[in-house]
Amino acid sequence: MKSRKSKVIRILLAKVGLDGHDRGIKFIARVLKDSGFEVIYTGLHKSPEEIVRASLQEDVDGIGVSVLSGAHIEIFSRIIKLMKKYKIEDKILFAGGIIPTEDIDKLKKIGVAEIFIPGATSIDIIKFLKNAI
Amino acid sequence: MRFDSLIEKIHSCDEKTVAKVITQIEEDKNFRKKISLALKPYYTCGISIGITGIQSSGKSTLINKLIPYFLKKKKKIGIIAIDPTSGISSGSILCDRIRIGNFLDKNLFIRSVATRDCFGGISSSTATIVNILKIAGKDIVIVETIGAGQTDTRIKRVVDRVVVVVTPDSIDNIGILKAGLLEIADVFVLNKFDMDQAKETYDKIKNYVKEFNFKVPIIKTIATKGIGIKKLAEELINKWKKEESS
């Protein structure tokens, strides 16, 4: 086992609303675990407020939300609003899922740090997290 | 006395402070020692309950059903949900929150903890985190261990009461005699009571308890259906009340 000199990175992974496609997020959870992250996976059907409050209590460094339902703009706007309310806007918020390229800039503008669309590799995600945190 | 203002903030249950302090306790051994010492003079009246048992015996599901019961009784609850750290990558997946629903009640604080480099079913920071949550005003702190094996008995040292969850297919005549997990029970829960062999297993545990004059209640539950939960919750609270009055 590697010695733990540096801080362990904690990431919360979540799915919002009625979207039940969790194969991708479970894969990411495993990949992050295998790269030494502590992953808190909250399961399906959570509300933005539940995700934000869980992130506060878990004191995570990053929040990854997977959306495949098409409601990404609404969901992320709400999450960012709530992150401000709970004063945890310093945490890195990243997105994954089927998100049209024309929406990527919109999401970045409101505060989503990175968006991973189909085709993104797990190495991209790990690299991004290690750089950002 | 640089901890005074910090402890004051913990005491008012400022969730962000509590969360940050727990992170620091996990990260920094020296800080953990110092804050444990600083917390000593503070009186708390909360109780801590450890819930342990083998993998997929229904620990999280039981906790999920206990939470609404305690919340209804106006209790403030802290949950420490422990999952294992990988021995290969030192990463972990903490997913006890999946089954513990309802994240929004203001009286509920849940923290997922990885075992990191500790053996015995809990993390080395668990005892201090229990104290922190008690100082933060939680009436009941529930610690859920990892799926416990026979030697994962360290929970006994950090909580007031240990609930050992067993399932009908996990007990045999010789296994029950061995040292380890079964010895540390203050309450036995026989979960999945709708399984075959449930009645036989119940008798086995009953005999075990009787033969050794081991005063431990055995509670039958079917956690997924919420059966037996009230009895378990009352058992846990009543014992506490009795001790308070004595």
Side-chain angles (χ1 to χ4, degrees), chain A residues 19-104:
Chain A
D19 178 5
H21 305 275
D22 61 352
R23 196 162 165 182
I25 201 162
K26 279 181 179 159
F27 175 75
I28 297 303
R30 268 186 64 187
V31 167
L32 292 182
K33 177 205 77 179
D34 290 341
S35 312
F37 292 80
E38 276 182 11
V39 180
I40 293 121
Y41 177 49
T42 59
L44 298 170
H45 312 314
K46 296 294 177 240
S47 73
E49 188 152 19
E50 282 179 306
I51 291 169
V52 173
R53 183 142 183 257
S55 305
L56 169 79
Q57 294 181 342
E58 299 287 359
D59 191 29
V60 290
D61 306 289
I63 308 169
V65 181
S66 144
V67 182
L68 285 88
S69 65
H72 42 271
I73 300 279
E74 292 80 1
I75 287 169
F76 282 102
S77 312
R78 182 113 185 86
I79 290 176
I80 284 159
K81 223 177 173 182
L82 286 160
M83 281 169 76
K84 283 177 186 152
K85 185 184 153 197
Y86 282 89
K87 300 195 183 73
I88 55 164
E89 61 269 39
D90 55 323
K91 301 195 192 302
I92 306 287
L93 177 66
F94 61 104
I98 302 170
I99 290 163
T101 40
E102 61 263 33
D103 286 346
I104 288 181

Side-chain angles (χ1 to χ4, degrees), chain B residues 2-232:
Chain B
R2 65 191 181 93
F3 283 118
D4 281 1
S5 62
L6 190 64
I7 293 173
E8 199 60 41
K9 264 187 158 172
I10 296 170
H11 195 61
S12 63
C13 197
D14 175 51
E15 287 197 348
K16 195 174 173 181
T17 310
V18 174
K20 294 264 177 211
V21 167
I22 294 175
T23 306
Q24 214 174 336
I25 287 170
E26 289 194 284
E27 289 293 328
D28 183 349
K29 232 179 175 173
N30 282 327
F31 176 81
R32 190 201 305 157
K33 277 184 193 154
K34 279 182 196 158
I35 200 156
S36 306
L37 277 177
L39 289 175
K40 268 199 176 148
Y42 288 82
Y43 175 77
T44 55
C45 54
I47 57 160
S48 50
I49 299 166
I51 303 216
T52 189
I54 60 166
Q55 189 175 21
S56 77
S57 53
K59 298 179 292 298
S60 303
T61 315
L62 275 167
I63 293 172
N64 183 28
K65 300 285 172 163
L66 284 171
I67 291 170
Y69 186 88
F70 288 141
L71 286 176
K72 228 186 261 167
K73 299 255 172 201
K74 302 266 182 291
K75 301 285 180 213
K76 293 182 181 128
I77 305 175
I79 311 267
I80 303 167
I82 306 171
D83 268 331
T85 290
S86 161
I88 297 162
S89 70
S90 59
S92 56
I93 298 186
L94 315 170
C95 45
D96 291 312
R97 271 182 184 264
I98 294 178
R99 267 151 280 167
I100 302 170
N102 183 7
F103 298 171
L104 286 180
D105 197 291
K106 67 177 189 329
N107 288 330
L108 182 63
F109 187 96
I110 307 172
R111 178 68 176 227
S112 312
V113 172
T115 54
R116 302 218 175 162
D117 38 19
C118 183
F119 295 98
I122 56 173
S123 73
S124 39
S125 55
T126 306
T128 319
I129 302 175
V130 170
N131 269 337
I132 293 281
L133 291 180
K134 280 185 178 175
I135 301 273
K138 301 300 172 201
D139 302 306
I140 301 172
V141 178
I142 300 177
V143 181
E144 181 192 342
T145 70
I146 63 168
Q150 289 175 320
T151 59
D152 291 332
T153 55
R154 211 171 144 153
I155 183 75
K156 182 77 175 169
R157 296 189 227 161
V158 303
V159 294
D160 303 326
R161 251 179 249 316
V162 177
V163 178
V164 174
V165 185
V166 292
T167 53
D169 56 352
S170 71
I171 299 281
D172 69 62
N173 287 331
I174 299 301
I176 207 166
L177 300 176
K178 288 184 189 171
L181 196 63
L182 297 177
E183 290 176 317
I184 62 167
D186 295 303
V187 178
F188 271 118
V189 168
L190 179 57
N191 191 32
K192 307 190 188 179
F193 200 72
D194 50 354
M195 271 175 82
D196 297 345
Q197 314 161 307
K199 187 78 188 59
E200 291 88 328
T201 309
Y202 179 76
D203 291 338
K204 273 180 206 164
I205 302 172
K206 212 173 155 190
N207 272 333
Y208 168 70
V209 169
K210 214 172 143 191
E211 273 171 29
F212 292 89
N213 199 15
F214 191 33
K215 288 196 181 75
V216 176
I218 310 160
I219 293 164
K220 306 170 216 168
T221 60
I222 306 170
T224 46
K225 293 178 187 157
I227 296 170
I229 300 299
K230 198 173 162 221
K231 210 173 158 203
L232 173 62

